[in-house]
Structures are given as C-alpha cells and as structure tokens.
Amino acid sequence: MKKKSTNNKVMIIDEEIHMKESEFIVSKTDLKGCITYVNRTFMQMALFNEDQLIGFNHNVIRHPDMPKGVFKFLWMTIKKEREFFGFVKNLRSDGRYYWIFANITPEYNEHGKLSGYLSVRRTPPASAIAVIQPIYERMLQIEKAATSKKVAEEQSLAFLQQQLDNLSMEYQQFVINLFNE
Ligand SMILES: Cc1cc2nc3c(=O)[nH]c(=O)nc-3n(C[C@H](O)[C@H](O)[C@H](O)COP(=O)(O)O)c2cc1C
C-alpha cells in the first residue's frame, strides 16, 4: 500500500474524553504500520473518518505528550513477533485527548508468514494513568534534553527500565498489573 502522509497540525486542548468500559478501539496495520482497518469506535474516539485513516500511520493520532521511547519499545517488541501492552495518550482531530490501554499482536497470512499487526484498546482505570503519566512526563523531559532522537529514546527507555528495576518488575507485568488494579 502506498504510504500516505499528513501535515495536519491541530491546536492541543487539555481536555480528556473517556471511552465507555464496554467499548473497544480496534485497528489493523500492514508490516510498516500503515492502517488497513479501523472499527467504528476508533473513528468516533479519534474524530476521523475512514478516508483519513486507511493508508496512514497511527501517528495521525499521536499526542505530543507521548514519549518517543514508548513507541520505540512498542516497535522493538512487535518486530520480534511478541505482543505489546501499554498505555497511550491519543490525540483527537479536535485537539482533545483520550487514554487507552493497548494490546498489539502480530497477524499471520495463510502461509504462516507475518503479515501485519492488530491492535485492540480498552479504556484504562484512572489509577493506572495516575501512575503512568508522571513516568511519561519524566521520559519526555529526558527526551527534550537529549541531543538526537536515538539518544532521546535510549535515555528515556533507560529511565523507564530504572523504574521497573526499582519495583523488581518486568514491563509487561507492570502495565498489566496497573490495568487490573
Ligand atoms: C497496530 C499498531 C497500533 C498503533 N497504535 C497507535 C496509537 O493508538 N497511537 C499512537 O500514537 N501510535 C500508535 N502506533 C505507533 C505508530 O505507528 C507510531 O510509531 C507512533 O505514533 C509514533 O509516531 P512518530 O514516530 O511518527 O512520531 C501503533 C502502531 C501499530 C503497529
């Protein structure tokens, strides 16, 4: 699929939108991360229609408060064909935001070859965001002080790892526990 790009700049509004607990945001991508499918809840939460999403990367809903390190870790995980779990603050086209707890899994074609990725997202508990938000804020500060994108990702991920070491926890166990609290 031809990669599409967008230059849309929206004015950020510090106002949260909550998704119902019974709802799921679903999307699929090819191996490069170009969106191939979105469900209705995705479009309703992000305030985009299908034409504005299919063929684009999920960075159309990337919020500037999200650290680069989180996405680096996401891609490192799924490229190894492992599933990723994580909290993501997403940007709507009206500038407001919504938090989600994402699960991304690999998808395979009929020959058993990796063909893309599937993401299912649920609404996270406020208690989880209260823990994750200050960690992301610190990661973002570290990234802003870094000399390059690569260094920014490395240093902010090192900070995240330090937090996990302090708790003697693996990343996946940490985020799943937060979601289940
Ligand atoms: C299946 C899948 C789902 C994704 N979902 C999101 C998402 O909900 N929000 C987001 O900002 N990035 C998501 N990403 C990551 C984006 O591809 C991208 O790495 C991220 O938005 C950072 O983009 P940037 O490096 O261009 O700033 C997803 C990636 C995949 C493969």
Side-chain angles (χ1 to χ4, degrees), residues 67-127:
K68 297 183 204 335
V70 173
F71 297 118
K72 170 78 179 169
F73 181 71
L74 179 162
W75 277 102
M76 273 169 25
T77 308
I78 63 175
K79 279 190 174 169
K80 285 186 231 161
E81 299 186 34
R82 299 206 187 125
E83 76 181 317
F84 169 84
F85 292 91
F87 296 95
V88 182
K89 183 175 183 175
N90 275 333
L91 180 65
R92 290 157 57 101
S93 68
D94 67 356
R96 293 188 285 177
Y97 67 90
Y98 55 100
W99 278 99
I100 47 102
F101 183 60
N103 172 225
I104 305 179
T105 47
E107 287 211 300
Y108 299 91
N109 66 17
E110 65 273 26
H111 307 294
K113 213 169 162 267
L114 183 69
S115 58
Y117 304 103
L118 164 71
S119 179
V120 179
R121 309 159 180 93
R122 289 190 270 179
T123 193
S127 58

Side-chain angles (χ1 to χ4, degrees), residues 21 69 89 162:
E21 268 184 43
K89 183 175 183 175
Q162 197 181 34

Side-chain angles (χ1 to χ4, degrees), residues 11-49:
M11 205 176 71
I12 305 294
I13 301 170
D14 190 16
E15 205 179 301
E16 185 169 7
I17 301 296
H18 295 271
M19 179 169 64
K20 287 193 202 116
E21 268 184 43
S22 57
E23 287 187 318
F24 296 90
I25 295 176
V26 183
S27 61
K28 291 184 184 196
T29 72
D30 64 13
L31 290 174
K32 288 191 172 148
C34 285
I35 299 171
T36 54
Y37 167 81
V38 287
N39 73 345
R40 197 168 292 277
T41 308
F42 191 124
M43 293 184 266
Q44 283 165 352
M45 286 301 290
L47 291 184
F48 278 113
N49 62 40

Side-chain angles (χ1 to χ4, degrees), residues 146-177:
T147 47
S148 72
K149 186 178 180 220
K150 192 166 177 285
V151 172
E153 289 167 347
E154 278 169 9
Q155 291 183 343
S156 78
L157 277 180
F159 170 78
L160 177 61
Q161 190 55 53
Q162 197 181 34
Q163 306 309 299
L164 297 170
D165 290 348
N166 293 345
L167 297 165
S168 304
M169 258 194 222
E170 296 286 331
Y171 170 81
Q172 188 162 315
Q173 183 196 353
F174 174 62
V175 292
I176 291 176
N177 284 359

